[in-house]
Amino acid sequence: MPLSDAALLRFLTSVHPYDSLEPALLQELAPKFRQIDATAGAPVYALNEELEGLYLVHSGEVEVADENGIPVSILGPRNSFGERGLTRGGRAVTSAQATARTLLLLLPKSEFHTLMASQPQMAKFFGRRRPGGRETSNLATTCIAAIMARDPVTCSSGLTCQGAAQLMRDQRVSSVCVTDGVRLQGIVTTRDLTGKILAAGKPISTPVSTVMTPDPLTLAPSAIGSDVLHLMMEHGIGHIPVVEAGRLAGIVTQTDLTRFQAISTGEMVSRIASARSAEDMANVTAEIPRLLVQLVASGNRHEVVTRLITDIADTVTRRLLALAEEKLGPAPVPFLWLACGSQGRREQTGVSDQDNCLILSDDMAPEDETYFAQLAGFVCDGLNTCGYVYCPGDMMASNRRWRQPLRVWRDYFRGWIAKPDPQAQMLASVMFDLRPIGGEAALFAGLHQETLQAASANSIFTAHMIANSLKHTPPLGLLRGLATIRSGEHRNTLDMKHNGVVPVVDLGRVYALQGKLTDVNTRARLEAAETAGVLSPAGARDLLDAYDLIALTRLEHQAEQIRSGQAPDNYLAPSDLSDFERSHLRDAFVVIKTMQSAVGHGKGMLS
């Protein structure tokens, strides 16, 4: 029996976001809903079908399936569906059918679009993107392309120091970039001229090539302000050239920065860089929880928050390496310390262990192993002291298996690719997230490229990696949308790491493998996958939106725990969220499940 107008109005006032509309508007809107009585098994709409409008379940049950026919959720009363298609051209991106006798309320698409345009609460609830925190424009998160000097003063390597000084005076700058046209060769600063020429009593006719800093530290235009400040404070420099595609694009100096805007992370990096022990550094890293709260409260994007927190771990690692060499003496052969896991991807939060390894030069002698064992032990112990606890799986450089010459690492990757058993898949997944932290970066460059090429060319290995990426599934229950942990310490919560962030991390790794992409950060991988055509623009947009929502929700949960005096974790109770937040979180998980289904069926795109 159809609902009466009064009954329909009462029902709508119990459903968000209709309950937030003005009573007069809602009373006018109610009669415009068309009531559909669907029998069990009856289709509601098919994939790619032109949608008539937005559906709302009054009673009964509707199964929504992805493009491969795999159910992604079963919706009960007060659940809406169809909005994704309506906001993306009007065609269904899923299919839906009633699984029981169901009464549906259909809001015509013209009315839906009118409400989306005129009612902020409707746009907020059904919009394609989650409303974020307030936008921030502080230096720490500003792209340096917006603050760098775009026409740096340059000279040739043959110019005299007097000529360089006159150039600085005339141009009112404190440095000159030495180039051979467009390629950066070095940099000369006023400090170089006073310390290396005037103070040393050398003639002013000395060419700048003898006093310049050759091959100086540089950044790309895509770096952010905190990258500049951290580099300056860690290395005690005041000028950083900006290089893009091998060409000098600009320069950032201390006078371009307002220090207090990045004082929180900048000061922490500075204190770590001058620390004399792991205990001194631990006093600094103990402030990371407070830093996380501040960064989240400031409205920063999740990838900026995790990048800044990871920067601190990187600085700790490099400082421990320096202290180890002070204690043990210079390394007998070149080496490279690398991070994997969340540090490798620059995605550390308030809860992080350590995952690292050492690549050693093939020139090492057997007796050199003692030195590197001591160095690895010193650094891993120091990281643990600083709060980066030992890896439960012992994937650390202190484990000799992960402290090997380059030739052994090549054999490792070749073996994992040739025989992708479950352990090989797991190890390869972790090691594909490697990022150099300290030492001779050239030891990794060739290995990274050749491994990526070999892995992407091996269809069996790729298939195994895809299968491995589907082991972590989003927490979707068939009823009521979200499936919580059923027992144990974390009963009735969602694991926002293993069932939220990790599925996207795994997908990003697969896309990187398919597209031979060198990016390690998950968000960068998704964006690069779209550029390379591995992901369609629509699929990339959906997945990025879903990832952003889940990652930020996880950070907000941890920040709230810290504010409440609790240790941060990854377990979120859905009951702590509003109906609005639960609905959007469920939608994000549906997107991930759909993308997993697509990649599992040999597709990389979600049209």
Side-chain angles (χ1 to χ4, degrees), residues 173-298:
V173 295
S174 56
S175 65
V176 174
C177 292
V178 182
T179 67
D180 61 356
V182 294
R183 191 181 69 85
L184 179 68
Q185 292 181 311
I187 186 170
V188 178
T189 67
T190 52
R191 186 168 64 178
D192 292 326
L193 297 180
T194 56
K196 299 177 182 178
I197 298 297
L198 292 178
K202 291 186 177 180
I204 57 176
S205 59
T206 302
V208 295
S209 59
T210 64
V211 298
M212 71 180 186
T213 300
D215 299 318
L217 293 169
T218 63
L219 287 171
S222 59
I224 56 179
S226 63
D227 293 332
V228 178
L229 190 58
H230 293 177
L231 210 57
M232 287 180 174
M233 289 187 166
E234 184 178 353
H235 296 278
I237 56 179
H239 306 75
I240 300 178
V242 181
V243 174
E244 183 175 27
R247 298 169 62 94
L248 180 64
I251 190 168
V252 180
T253 70
Q254 287 179 331
T255 56
D256 296 320
L257 306 176
T258 305
R259 186 182 298 270
F260 76 90
Q261 289 181 291
I263 190 62
S264 185
T265 53
E267 185 181 39
M268 292 172 75
V269 165
S270 179
R271 288 160 60 193
I272 291 168
S274 60
R276 297 303 306 166
S277 68
E279 288 72 21
D280 289 343
M281 286 182 262
N283 291 331
V284 182
T285 57
E287 299 173 15
I288 288 177
R290 181 171 59 85
L291 171 66
L292 185 146
V293 171
Q294 292 175 347
L295 292 172
V296 172
S298 297

Side-chain angles (χ1 to χ4, degrees), residues 79-157:
N79 277 300
S80 297
F81 60 101
E83 70 274 10
R84 288 180 60 213
L86 288 172
T87 56
R88 284 177 45 184
R91 292 192 174 274
V93 296
T94 57
S95 60
Q97 71 170 9
T99 55
R101 181 71 179 269
T102 301
L103 178 60
L104 294 172
L105 305 177
L106 175 66
L107 180 66
K109 58 184 177 183
S110 60
E111 298 296 335
F112 171 76
H113 289 302
T114 297
L115 288 172
M116 289 286 284
S118 62
Q119 302 300 315
Q121 58 270 53
M122 294 288 288
K124 180 180 180 184
F125 190 81
F126 292 116
R128 292 299 305 127
R129 292 181 180 271
R130 183 201 191 199
R134 60 183 175 87
E135 293 295 320
T136 57
S137 58
N138 60 53
L139 177 63
T141 58
T142 298
C143 180
I144 65 171
I147 59 175
M148 70 182 185
R150 294 186 174 274
D151 297 304
V153 178
T154 63
C155 72
S156 67
S157 59

Side-chain angles (χ1 to χ4, degrees), residues 1-37:
M1 179 181 296
L3 296 174
S4 66
D5 288 348
L8 177 56
L9 188 59
R10 282 197 302 272
F11 177 72
L12 291 175
T13 57
S14 70
V15 179
H16 191 70
Y18 304 103
D19 59 349
S20 63
L21 298 178
E22 290 293 331
L25 176 60
L26 189 59
Q27 192 159 9
E28 179 185 339
L29 182 68
K32 297 178 180 178
F33 279 88
R34 178 156 62 90
Q35 299 183 38
I36 301 173
D37 188 6

Side-chain angles (χ1 to χ4, degrees), residues 140-141 224 226 230 265 295 304-312:
T141 58
I224 56 179
S226 63
H230 293 177
T265 53
L295 292 172
V304 173
V305 176
T306 56
R307 170 69 176 273
L308 295 176
I309 290 175
T310 305
D311 281 351
I312 295 171

